Amino acid sequence: MANISITDRTYCITLPPKISSRSILVPGYQKNHVLQYGLPQLELKMITIFAFTQICYFILKPFRLPAFVPQLLARPCWGRNQVFRKTLFPEFNEEESHALEISDALEIIGLSMFLFLTGVKMDMNMLMRVGQKSWVVAATTLIFPLIVGGATLAIHSVLHRPAKEDMALLNYIFLQLSFTNFPVISCLLSDLKLLNSELGRLALSSSLVSHIFQIFISFALSSASLTLLMAYKNIFLISAFLLLIAFVFRPAMKWIIKQTPKGRPVKEIYLHGIVFLVFTSALFTKSAGQTILIGPFILGLAVPDGPQLGTVLVNRLGSFFSGILLPIYVTVSVAKANLGDLASRPHMIPLEIVLILIVFLSKLLGSILPPLICKMPLKDSLALALILSSDGIVELGSYRFLYDQKVLISSSLTPILVRKLFDSSRKIRGYQTRNVMHLKPDMGLPVVTCIHRSDDIATTIGVLSYLNPSRQSPIEVIAIHLIKLVGQATPVLISHQQQRKIVGKSYSDEVILAFTNYAQNNMGAVDVNIFTAISPAKLMYEDVCHIALDKLSSLIILPYHCRWSNGKVESRDSHIRTLNVAILQRAPCLVGILVDRGHLAQGAEINPNFHVGVFYIGGEDDMEALALARRMARDPGLVLTVVHLCEKSDDEEGAAGSLRLDEVMNDEVLRGVKMNEAGRNVRYRREMVHDGPETALLVRTMANEFDLVMVGRRYGMECTQTSGLAHWIEVSELGVLGDLLASPDLHTDSSVLVIQQQHK
């Protein structure tokens, strides 16, 4: 037995503590309830929490609230119920329960690892790239609430002379509300799917700067409240810790990366050592008079973000600590919030409410003024201010022993308001869609190409060479190397024309070399701009669409999600398919999905006798496909065959003189092809078909005649020529004919390019 004193209470506990119950067969089991043991009580707590949060998440899903919000509903739903509280959240030694020690330890471990992984995912080089606007927003967001809140407390202290304990509490609340935490903003933007937007990038960079300032301010304030000797001791310990981080741990992390061959897993002993350092850093900063949460976060900054070490740590540790322990921490913290303290201090409630409102409004004002001065729209500025003023899991850790209402309100309302105020696709919808058909013959053709793997490079360059670039009709290639964001929190968009070298990193070297050589070999005919976009897979479309919009592109070429090898499908990538569909829905210009069966990489120089076929029915998509094919046909070595698929009743209707508008447009578009005005290498064939099955048979028969087949997607268009085929589509983004030509059941070597004109 041992006596432990906590504040003015003394508890008697049993050592060693009760961890695991022995079994129901042990005498006295019924007398000594199973929930007195730590492990069964923890298991029951985990099951209840996960069941409750998932049910709440399902109910609140239509409101698109973050997963953090259902975890905050524990208190309104069961926190005040004494049966639930004693069963799931007992106090220390309540009814001889030993569960609190175990659950508290696991919760703090989960929060510490969450902050460590947040530090791992932070790109410290981002501080070197932060723009002037981000520095100003970060400064005003921090300075305004500190000045206004500090002045408010000073006036209150002079007029009312509050007790020392009350003043300390008000100071604590004031400081916590004034700070902006990068982990909170990063998680919120990820939930809102705004990481890749201009607003998201500004909010991330501003919160990163503010968070760094916050660490130094917190350390300075905590040291100022100590005796001179203790302050010097803490400064020495923290300085020693930072030196260890910079000159020992950071080089050690880089050494681990060098010792790990590319593509091979990091050794387990290295991962175990890093986890050990996380807990050691927490204890070290605690001994230096700081919170235990600062050490893991700073240690995380020492880990190089991204591949290879940062990615491995996030993948290996993130699911357990952030997905299991962290929700337990949030729910338990909210459920155990002691609102009785408010009732015991009724005179403090009005002061705290006024202080919270004043600090929040001053923080909102400090966040909204700089973007408004920079002529940012009012709605976007307000959305930015709401994001930077929101609270989350870090603030919840600070309020654990106070109350959680402000966190709940902020976390629930901010996502709803931001979605109402800011729409990242609004900019794209406001511009007229660009295409190929209306380009003048001597105008350059801006083309955006997307590269996922090294295999895409040769294929993309091969297709571009068939576009017949020349000094009279050049092409501008905007090559985007798309990399999935893993192991870091901030998306990165690098323009390799403006930023030739990224300090300490090497991105897209193979892409840069290949496209630079292509431009040099076609000097004056090809201009190349290369970008690297590192972003979440679900948000890659934003980078592609915004770059296409900024560069006034007329065409985006996307690789198909299936890859062929020796006439068979080698692999499928669902992420690429999701990206292609998202771009088709939002693109500001023409979009082409390229299905490569392995021959396009040769290019026009190696394969001059290239045969292109266009299956033409009618409509805008087919017109754009024909316009692009005619541009290719300016190369006399390329043979273009236009196959016009017509209904068998067309001749009779034409004889009757009842031509429809679409038929008139088709005749106008096809006139140059029919009259052989497009060149001797352009052929026209008119094929009569009764229905969809007859069209399918004709297309399958003729596919082997071409190296590349071009068709329009014709989304949502129905006609006699394709009747009955829509029911058999497997890949809807390719359209009826595109799906037929890209099917693995079609034994052909022909590649396919499916064109869609974006409709506003």
Side-chain angles (χ1 to χ4, degrees):
M1 304 290 289
N3 291 330
I4 296 180
S5 248
I6 300 179
T7 63
D8 57 345
R9 299 179 183 179
T10 301
Y11 295 95
C12 182
I13 66 171
T14 302
L15 294 177
K18 301 175 183 179
I19 303 298
S20 178
S21 62
R22 289 169 286 182
S23 78
I24 60 174
L25 300 178
V26 175
Y29 175 83
Q30 297 297 333
K31 180 180 178 181
N32 299 319
H33 198 275
V34 65
L35 295 182
Q36 293 179 3
Y37 296 88
L39 184 58
Q41 204 274 346
L42 177 64
E43 292 171 341
L44 177 62
K45 182 186 297 184
M46 292 176 64
I47 293 171
T48 307
I49 287 173
F50 287 127
F52 171 79
T53 54
Q54 291 304 312
I55 292 172
C56 289
Y57 181 75
F58 178 77
I59 295 173
L60 297 175
K61 192 174 182 180
F63 300 98
R64 297 196 297 172
L65 295 174
F68 179 62
V69 174
Q71 299 163 14
L72 292 175
L73 296 177
R75 176 155 201 89
C77 293
W78 66 38
R80 299 178 184 178
N81 188 295
Q82 291 301 314
V83 176
F84 272 113
R85 189 193 63 76
K86 290 182 179 181
T87 304
L88 296 177
F89 315 109
E91 297 293 339
F92 182 81
N93 209 37
E94 184 175 10
E95 296 187 357
E96 299 183 14
S97 173
H98 286 211
L100 181 64
E101 304 94 303
I102 298 175
S103 61
D104 275 2
L106 288 177
E107 293 157 21
I108 296 301
I109 288 173
L111 181 59
S112 300
M113 291 301 299
F114 167 75
L115 293 176
F116 167 72
L117 294 177
T118 301
V120 170
K121 292 186 287 186
M122 283 182 64
D123 181 11
M124 290 306 293
N125 290 323
M126 183 179 176
L127 284 174
M128 308 300 296
R129 304 191 296 268
V130 171
Q132 185 178 1
K133 186 188 296 185
S134 299
W135 283 99
V136 174
V137 171
T140 55
T141 303
L142 184 61
I143 292 173
F144 269 50
L146 287 177
I147 293 177
V148 176
T152 303
L153 287 181
I155 294 172
H156 172 70
S157 177
V158 171
L159 295 180
H160 300 283
R161 300 187 180 277
K164 186 176 180 181
E165 296 78 8
D166 293 343
M167 198 62 192
L169 177 61
L170 292 174
N171 280 325
Y172 182 82
I173 296 174
F174 147 65
L175 288 174
Q176 293 301 325
L177 292 178
S178 300
F179 293 148
T180 300
N181 288 285
F182 177 83
V184 173
I185 305 304
S186 177
C187 292
L188 176 61
L189 291 172
S190 179
D191 289 332
L192 293 172
K193 298 182 179 180
L194 295 178
L195 281 174
N196 285 31
S197 65
E198 294 180 7
L199 184 75
R201 294 180 190 277
L202 178 59
L204 271 180
S205 56
S206 300
S207 64
L208 175 60
V209 174
S210 181
H211 195 91
I212 299 300
F213 286 158
Q214 168 193 332
I215 293 176
F216 287 105
I217 292 174
S218 299
F219 176 70
L221 292 176
S222 63
S223 299
S225 62
L226 301 174
T227 63
L228 191 60
L229 182 61
M230 288 297 296
Y232 280 138
K233 177 198 129 180
N234 290 349
I235 292 174
F236 172 77
L237 290 176
I238 291 297
S239 300
F241 178 68
L242 294 177
L243 290 175
L244 282 173
I245 290 289
F247 297 105
V248 177
F249 295 149
R250 176 80 173 182
M253 303 293 181
K254 292 183 177 180
W255 179 84
I256 291 175
I257 294 176
K258 290 181 181 179
Q259 295 300 310
T260 305
K262 190 174 182 180
R264 299 292 298 276
V266 179
K267 292 182 179 180
E268 292 291 328
I269 189 172
Y270 297 150
L271 298 179
H272 295 164
I274 292 173
V275 173
F276 173 77
L277 286 176
V278 173
F279 301 137
T280 304
S281 66
L283 295 175
F284 188 89
T285 51
K286 179 64 176 177
S287 66
Q290 305 299 310
T291 172
I292 63 172
L293 304 179
I294 290 182
F297 179 76
I298 295 178
L299 180 65
L301 298 177
V303 181
D305 63 291
Q308 300 173 341
L309 186 57
T311 302
V312 172
L313 287 171
V314 172
N315 289 338
R316 294 287 295 275
L317 304 178
S319 298
F320 177 72
F321 289 102
S322 299
I324 296 179
L325 296 187
L326 200 60
I328 296 176
Y329 167 79
V330 174
T331 307
V332 173
S333 297
V334 174
K336 290 172 61 178
N338 189 5
L339 298 184
D341 287 348
L342 290 177
S344 65
R345 296 178 288 102
H347 65 285
M348 291 291 293
I349 296 178
L351 296 176
E352 292 174 6
I353 293 175
V354 170
L355 180 62
I356 289 173
L357 287 176
I358 289 176
V359 174
F360 176 76
L361 292 176
S362 60
K363 190 174 183 181
L364 205 64
L365 182 63
S367 304
I368 201 173
L369 279 181
L372 284 178
I373 294 173
C374 295
K375 304 301 177 61
M376 182 182 286
L378 176 61
K379 287 187 176 181
D380 294 0
S381 301
L382 184 56
L384 175 64
L386 287 171
I387 290 172
L388 293 177
S389 302
S390 63
D391 291 337
I393 192 167
V394 177
E395 287 82 5
L396 181 63
S398 301
Y399 301 154
R400 177 161 183 169
F401 301 106
L402 294 174
Y403 43 87
D404 59 280
Q405 274 75 359
K406 201 265 181 182
V407 179
L408 176 58
I409 294 172
S410 176
S411 302
S412 303
L413 293 182
T414 298
I416 298 174
L417 293 175
V418 171
R419 285 194 175 99
K420 291 291 184 182
L421 292 169
F422 181 76
D423 182 5
S424 59
S425 62
R426 182 177 58 210
K427 180 179 177 181
I428 295 176
R429 290 199 303 266
Y431 282 77
Q432 184 177 1
T433 302
R434 297 175 62 87
N435 53 34
V436 175
M437 187 169 64
H438 296 102
L439 286 178
K440 296 180 180 179
D442 57 344
M443 286 184 64
L445 175 63
V447 181
V448 171
T449 63
C450 297
I451 309 296
H452 295 279
R453 303 193 314 181
S454 57
D455 301 347
D456 298 329
I457 299 174
T459 299
T460 302
I461 292 178
V463 171
L464 293 173
S465 68
Y466 290 121
L467 292 177
N468 190 33
S470 63
R471 292 181 180 272
Q472 293 74 29
S473 182
I475 63 173
E476 179 186 359
V477 180
I478 301 99
I480 309 175
H481 186 199
L482 297 169
I483 302 174
K484 184 179 178 181
L485 180 70
V486 179
Q488 62 188 79
T490 53
V492 178
L493 180 62
I494 304 169
S495 172
H496 294 284
Q497 281 64 45
Q498 299 177 1
Q499 197 164 354
R500 295 287 180 180
K501 185 177 181 181
I502 305 301
V503 179
K505 300 202 181 222
S506 179
Y507 292 123
S508 314
D509 288 343
E510 191 174 356
V511 176
I512 296 171
L513 179 62
F515 278 93
T516 301
N517 289 338
Y518 175 59
Q520 291 175 349
N521 294 334
N522 296 271
M523 190 71 68
V526 176
D527 183 31
V528 171
N529 291 299
I530 305 171
F531 293 86
T532 296
I534 307 174
S535 58
K538 294 182 179 180
L539 300 179
M540 284 181 178
Y541 69 89
E542 294 229 359
D543 287 326
V544 176
C545 292
H546 282 289
I547 291 175
L549 181 64
D550 293 339
K551 295 296 182 180
L552 301 178
S553 301
S554 298
L555 173 64
I556 300 174
I557 298 179
L558 306 173
Y560 189 48
H561 69 274
C562 294
R563 300 182 185 276
W564 265 262
S565 178
N566 299 323
K568 297 181 180 179
V569 175
E570 180 183 39
S571 63
R572 290 180 171 88
D573 192 327
S574 60
H575 294 297
I576 295 179
R577 182 178 182 183
T578 303
L579 172 65
N580 291 348
V581 172
I583 294 175
L584 282 172
Q585 294 171 348
R586 300 169 176 85
C589 60
L590 206 65
V591 179
I593 297 180
L594 179 63
V595 183
D596 176 31
R597 285 194 168 95
H599 300 284
L600 294 177
Q602 298 177 3
E605 294 81 6
I606 301 176
N607 185 17
N609 300 316
F610 197 71
H611 201 164
V612 177
V614 177
F615 287 102
Y616 186 93
I617 297 176
E620 292 186 5
D621 293 350
D622 282 3
M623 293 178 186
E624 292 293 343
L626 179 59
L628 187 62
R630 290 185 62 175
R631 183 184 180 94
M632 294 180 175
R634 295 176 187 175
D635 180 3
L638 183 144
V639 179
L640 170 62
T641 300
V642 180
V643 182
H644 188 191
L645 303 175
C646 305
E647 299 180 52
K648 284 198 173 180
S649 59
D650 278 353
D651 287 341
E652 299 175 4
E653 291 182 4
S658 57
L659 286 175
R660 300 188 303 268
L661 177 61
D662 58 337
E663 293 175 350
V664 175
M665 294 180 64
N666 289 337
D667 287 341
E668 184 67 24
V669 171
L670 292 170
R671 177 182 301 172
V673 178
K674 292 178 180 179
M675 302 300 294
N676 205 22
E677 296 175 358
R680 296 182 178 180
N681 59 330
V682 179
R683 305 166 185 172
Y684 174 78
R685 289 176 58 175
R686 182 182 175 93
E687 297 288 344
M688 313 299 295
V689 292
H690 277 293
D691 51 21
E694 189 172 341
T695 299
L697 180 62
L698 177 66
V699 169
R700 292 173 69 93
T701 303
M702 297 184 63
N704 281 317
E705 299 179 14
F706 311 113
D707 297 301
L708 175 66
V709 180
M710 299 176 62
V711 294
R713 184 190 180 196
R714 294 173 50 82
Y715 179 71
M717 298 182 65
E718 296 181 1
C719 63
T720 304
Q721 295 93 313
T722 59
S723 60
L725 296 181
H727 301 292
W728 302 96
I729 290 182
E730 296 179 355
V731 185
S732 60
E733 60 266 29
L734 296 181
V736 173
L737 296 185
D739 179 75
L740 179 67
L741 290 163
S743 173
D745 299 330
L746 182 63
H747 301 291
T748 179
D749 293 332
S750 301
S751 297
V752 185
L753 182 61
V754 180
I755 300 296
Q756 173 182 294
Q757 165 70 32
Q758 188 60 255
H759 303 282
K760 295 293 184 181

